[in-house]
Amino acid sequence: MTPDEALADAHRREWGSVLAAAVRVTRDLDAAEECVQEAYAQALGTWRTSGVPANPGAWLTTAATRRALDRARRAEVAQRALPLLVVDEVLPDEDPVPAGHDLLALVFTCCHPALAPAARVALTLRLLGGLTTPQIARAFLVAEPTMAARITRAKKKIAAARVPFRVPGPAEMPERLDAVLTVVHLVLTTGHTAPDGDELVRRDLLDRALDLARMLRARFPADAAVAGLLALVLLTDARSAARTDPDGLPVLLADQDRSRWDAAAIAEGTALAREALRGRPVSRYALLAAVAAVHGEAPTFAETDWAEIVGLYDVLLARWPNPVVALNRAAAIGLGEGPAAGLAALDALADDPRLATYHYLAAARGAFLRRLGRDDEAALAEREAALLTGNAVEREALRSRDR
């Protein structure tokens, strides 16, 4: 791996960890980001000259924290910086945050109730994985300028509110935990199918989602929603190896080699999903995990219990109205009841403005139209989907269906 490739890989895999370490020193998100950016710039020159270190993440963390310490020692920085995040405090009945949990502390910091819910998730995605504003905008189905303004306001509000860098105590936890679960879920979905780029899967984000879900499970072992989220991560990631062919192109669920699915992850995830479904009220993560478990336990695509999946989506929509869930339900109807029923269910969603630029709606319509023999209409829908997706791998797969 060349120094440039190693640095790109380290950006994808290590950004959040390096930033969390810098925030612990600076107590200032903007200053920490600057330190990390400077560390990455330094790495590019040093690695080209001296070679890639054995542990790029540790090298970058050391470089960033050294810069953060240098800034902290200079008085002029304090005079021109935004108000700093307050120093960690140990709440009653709370242990200090372990050093290895800097990432978790960063997520909770960004999920403070001083921020609007959507801003919490967007900021954490930006800081956690180094995602760009366009990538996050795609995940939220909003315009890029809207997302840019949201992230900027969130960072300023965290500084002004002097939000502490720590995992909160029991009294604060209920209103903070759901936002964190939402963050991890969006990291999972962004990693499962990257919104842009030339790879279908972002392995670094899937690994980060799993790490965070396991951290949350270890800290909150009795929380059913946390169990559901970990189940969802495991069951979703279990199919990753079979989702692309040797050329990196997507393989449809019906065509996947199920022997390549991770049986151990499916077993662990299914057990956690059953545990999560016993919680009251049932969380959306438990229901999503249950859907994934139905897929994971089906011996073949033909044996998938689509009626059960549609029923789970019905329950989910009653608790969590969401256009993507509605789209997935419509697709399940088509796979279970036939393409005509699926197309009718999809067309019922056509006027939802939140799905206007969501390429999976057009892609699903194209698939059902092609099964109905309406090839010209199918080709038009597939071309629309190809234009709307930012992922080069998905775009190529969609275009290949029209050839």
Side-chain angles (χ1 to χ4, degrees):
M1 186 179 291
T2 67
D4 292 45
E5 292 170 339
L7 189 65
D9 184 67
H11 183 273
R12 290 159 60 89
R13 296 182 180 278
E14 307 289 351
W15 177 273
S17 298
V18 177
L19 180 64
V23 172
R24 179 171 286 280
V25 176
T26 64
R27 312 290 162 179
D28 183 299
L29 295 175
D30 285 327
E33 280 198 283
E34 289 179 13
C35 291
V36 174
Q37 289 164 357
E38 290 168 3
Y40 274 83
Q42 177 188 350
L44 186 60
T46 303
W47 296 2
R48 284 174 175 173
T49 303
S50 305
V52 179
N55 189 333
W59 192 101
L60 288 161
T61 299
T62 299
T65 52
R66 282 177 177 168
R67 290 177 178 275
L69 288 168
D70 287 343
R71 282 172 174 261
R73 292 188 185 108
R74 296 199 298 266
E76 63 266 27
V77 171
Q79 294 173 4
R80 62 181 174 82
L82 289 169
L84 302 182
L85 296 172
V86 301
V87 177
D88 289 346
E89 52 188 286
V90 179
L91 300 180
D93 302 319
E94 181 190 17
D95 295 328
V97 177
H101 282 204
D102 278 357
L103 273 174
L104 198 56
L106 178 59
V107 174
F108 273 100
T109 298
C110 294
C111 292
H112 194 274
L115 303 178
R120 300 173 203 168
V121 181
L123 180 61
T124 308
L125 282 173
R126 173 71 184 92
L127 299 180
L128 179 69
L131 298 186
T132 65
T133 299
Q135 287 174 324
I136 303 170
R138 284 179 180 273
F140 275 89
L141 306 181
V142 300
E144 183 180 338
T146 301
M147 184 54 64
R150 187 178 295 173
I151 291 172
T152 299
R153 287 195 302 268
K155 289 171 72 174
K156 289 181 177 178
K157 194 155 191 177
I158 279 185
R162 298 177 59 81
V163 172
F165 181 69
R166 58 169 172 76
V167 176
E172 300 173 84
M173 189 53 65
E175 66 178 326
R176 301 282 295 278
L177 185 56
D178 185 63
V180 173
L181 297 181
T182 302
V183 166
V184 180
H185 183 212
L186 274 174
V187 173
L188 167 67
T189 56
T190 305
H192 179 67
T193 303
D196 56 17
D198 55 7
E199 294 179 322
L200 182 69
V201 175
R202 280 196 60 172
R203 183 70 253 170
D204 57 319
L205 291 182
L206 288 178
D207 290 341
R208 182 56 47 75
L210 182 58
D211 289 345
L212 286 168
R214 288 203 182 280
M215 282 185 193
L216 289 166
R217 173 68 172 174
R219 194 169 183 97
F220 311 107
D223 192 288
V226 171
L229 178 65
L230 178 55
L232 179 60
V233 175
L234 287 163
L235 289 162
T236 301
D237 192 25
R239 304 197 299 266
S240 293
R243 291 184 62 230
T244 54
D245 66 15
D247 296 323
L249 293 175
V251 177
L252 297 175
L253 181 62
D255 301 324
Q256 289 179 15
D257 178 358
R258 297 187 177 218
S259 69
R260 299 184 65 198
W261 290 3
D262 187 334
I266 290 172
E268 182 184 359
T270 300
L272 282 166
R274 292 194 181 103
E275 175 187 333
L277 287 170
R278 293 194 290 269
R280 292 295 181 271
V282 177
S283 73
R284 62 182 182 269
Y285 305 108
L287 292 165
L288 287 167
V291 171
V294 174
H295 286 298
E297 292 186 309
T300 65
F301 183 79
E303 295 174 87
T304 304
D305 191 340
W306 294 108
E308 182 177 358
I309 288 176
V310 172
L312 287 166
Y313 278 135
D314 285 337
V315 177
L316 182 59
L317 280 170
R319 287 163 169 73
W320 187 45
N322 180 285
V324 176
V325 172
L327 173 58
N328 290 339
R329 176 186 176 276
I333 288 173
L335 292 168
E337 301 177 19
L343 189 61
L346 289 172
D347 287 344
L349 305 174
D351 292 333
D352 190 328
R354 295 170 295 179
L355 294 175
T357 60
Y358 194 57
H359 71 282
Y360 288 120
L361 175 57
R365 290 191 76 256
F368 289 144
L369 286 164
R370 202 165 285 285
R371 287 177 58 190
L372 289 168
R374 296 160 60 178
D375 290 344
D376 290 344
E377 293 173 85
L380 182 62
E382 288 158 359
R383 285 196 291 271
E384 178 186 352
L387 288 170
L388 289 173
T389 182
N391 186 287
V393 177
E394 285 193 312
R395 187 183 308 116
E396 176 59 26
L398 288 162
R399 286 174 175 169
S400 68
R401 298 177 195 173
D402 187 31
R403 292 170 187 159

